[in-house]
Amino acid sequence: MNELLIVVSKVLLASWSVLLESAPFVLLGFFIAGVLKAFVPDDFVATHLGGGGMASIFKASLFGIPIPLCSCGVLPAAAGLKKQGSGNGPVAAFLISTPETGVDSIAVSWALLDPLMTVIRPVIALFMAIATGIAVSFAGKQSANEVAADIDKSGESACASSCCCSHKKQEKLTVAGKFREGMSFAFGDLLNDVGLWLFIGILLSGLISVFVSTEVVSRYLSNEYLSMLVMFIVSVPLYVCATASTPIVAALALKGISPGAALVFLLAGPATNAASLPVIFRMLGRKSALIYLASIVLISLIGGVVVNDLYSYLGYDITHWVSKGAHEEAGIVSIAASVVLLLLVLKSLLPKKQIGHPR
């Protein structure tokens, strides 16, 4: 029993260490997401992504970067674009760019990884979105009846997430009202959708820190190409959003996983989780969806090789590219942010009171 308590305490301490480092940046990311939600009109993206030309693909890839939607939340948004006439190419680009490059995940990358990976991650995700959109656009068009049926099913199936299934009528609000609404979205709907998975990721990072030794990584994942393939295979069945995947990768990086293998997990996980794939197949059609998946596989693996070469060229040891911070002297800001984030996530897990309406 004592040994079990010691192990549990080690896991919790390791997880707390990750939380201390990431919490201020997570809260900052949610805050920026709320500001974007408040002051970027809901129909802004849809009005710029009509059709299926190259311009729409580039716009879909760029617009997806700041939009605060997670891996599941992007599905009904993409289905809405489809209903409004957007082609498969822009929709595919939007499906990749949006969940992989959110402001919250970029902030956590800065906190837990290194500045170079913080820049490389969204840049390669953007390239992947554009390249996949172009590839899918050449896949041909489905019949009109098939598209209409698939869009309706996609929108219905995808709307299981709380982060974008609100269909409230937009009312004219003051600047203060918009700000309050944006913060309510960021620290309500978005945090409800991402918070639990973030904490699962942080807990997994603690488990990795305690149970996965550098010897295990060097023995079984020392081959950089094999490690990339393993990380891709592991990422596909998991529902790991971009924010939650970062602490997992950070823990593995401290054990010796290469930046290329880390990038494969960071890119493939949010874009290919098992929960979203059936919806994507219905939304894009079988041929386009297979091209979508093939593009993600190829570009993430090629990107991993390029990133390893880049780190080596710059003089980094690809087995020691992330350094552990000294959290024994964590400041009051980190501790306060960790407590606030913990309380917000716990609040999001409490059952919501059902408000009855008089007949």
Side-chain angles (χ1 to χ4, degrees):
M1 179 63 81
N2 287 338
E3 290 182 1
L4 178 61
L5 289 174
I6 291 171
V7 170
V8 170
S9 65
K10 285 182 178 179
V11 171
L12 291 178
L13 283 172
S15 300
W16 175 250
S17 178
V18 175
L19 181 62
L20 283 173
E21 189 168 0
S22 60
F25 295 92
V26 172
L27 293 177
L28 176 62
F30 280 127
F31 176 79
I32 295 173
V35 171
L36 289 169
K37 177 68 175 177
F39 298 107
V40 176
D42 289 340
D43 60 349
F44 177 80
V45 175
T47 56
H48 287 81
L49 301 184
M54 294 295 178
S56 295
I57 292 171
F58 277 91
K59 286 181 182 179
S61 302
L62 289 170
F63 289 166
I65 293 175
I67 293 175
L69 290 177
C70 62
S71 303
C72 65
V74 71
L75 295 174
L81 294 178
K82 196 84 157 108
K83 281 188 176 183
Q84 295 182 52
S86 184
N88 276 355
V91 170
F94 187 77
L95 282 168
I96 291 174
S97 177
T98 305
E100 289 188 352
T101 56
V103 289
D104 50 342
S105 64
I106 292 173
V108 178
S109 296
W110 177 270
L112 297 181
L113 300 175
D114 68 348
L116 185 56
M117 183 60 75
T118 303
V119 174
I120 288 172
R121 181 181 183 179
V123 168
I124 295 185
L126 177 63
F127 173 79
M128 178 187 288
I130 293 171
T132 302
I134 292 171
V136 167
S137 69
F138 283 105
K141 297 180 179 179
Q142 295 171 274
S143 68
N145 291 336
E146 187 183 356
V147 171
D150 285 348
I151 293 170
D152 290 337
K153 289 179 184 176
S154 300
E156 185 178 336
S157 302
C159 212
S161 169
S162 63
C163 59
C164 57
C165 295
S166 175
H167 300 293
K168 295 189 293 184
K169 261 188 169 178
Q170 293 295 317
E171 300 174 1
K172 293 201 172 182
L173 298 172
T174 63
V175 171
K178 288 181 179 179
F179 182 78
R180 282 194 300 270
E181 193 175 73
M183 292 302 108
S184 176
F185 165 80
F187 294 99
D189 292 342
L190 185 60
L191 188 135
N192 289 350
D193 200 68
V194 174
L196 176 60
W197 296 105
L198 172 64
F199 270 57
I200 290 174
I202 290 173
L203 183 60
L204 284 174
S205 73
L207 289 168
I208 291 169
S209 298
V210 173
F211 291 107
V212 179
S213 66
T214 54
E215 289 77 15
V216 169
V217 173
S218 63
R219 176 179 295 181
Y220 297 105
L221 295 175
S222 57
N223 184 298
E224 60 179 290
Y225 304 110
L226 177 61
S227 65
M228 291 178 207
L229 186 60
V230 169
M231 294 300 279
F232 180 83
I233 292 171
V234 169
S235 70
V236 170
L238 297 178
Y239 174 76
V240 185
C241 65
T243 304
S245 65
T246 309
I248 298 173
V249 162
L252 287 170
L254 289 171
K255 299 298 182 178
I257 201 79
S258 70
L263 182 69
V264 169
F265 188 86
L266 292 171
L267 292 176
T272 60
N273 70 77
S276 67
L277 287 179
V279 180
I280 292 172
F281 267 80
R282 284 201 298 266
M283 189 185 303
L284 299 179
R286 188 166 63 91
K287 183 178 179 182
S288 294
L290 288 173
I291 293 173
Y292 171 89
L293 282 175
S295 299
I296 292 171
V297 173
L298 288 173
I299 295 172
S300 60
L301 293 176
I302 292 171
V305 173
V306 170
V307 166
N308 276 350
D309 289 344
L310 176 61
Y311 271 78
S312 297
Y313 176 78
L314 294 175
Y316 290 92
D317 180 352
I318 63 171
T319 62
H320 298 90
W321 58 282
V322 171
S323 59
K324 188 171 179 63
H327 295 300
E328 294 77 20
E329 301 177 4
I332 187 66
V333 173
S334 294
I335 295 172
S338 300
V339 172
V340 169
L341 184 59
L342 182 61
L343 291 175
L344 286 171
V345 173
L346 289 175
K347 180 184 175 185
S348 74
L349 298 178
L350 295 175
K352 306 294 185 293
K353 290 184 179 179
Q354 299 294 327
I355 301 175
H357 297 282
R359 293 176 182 247

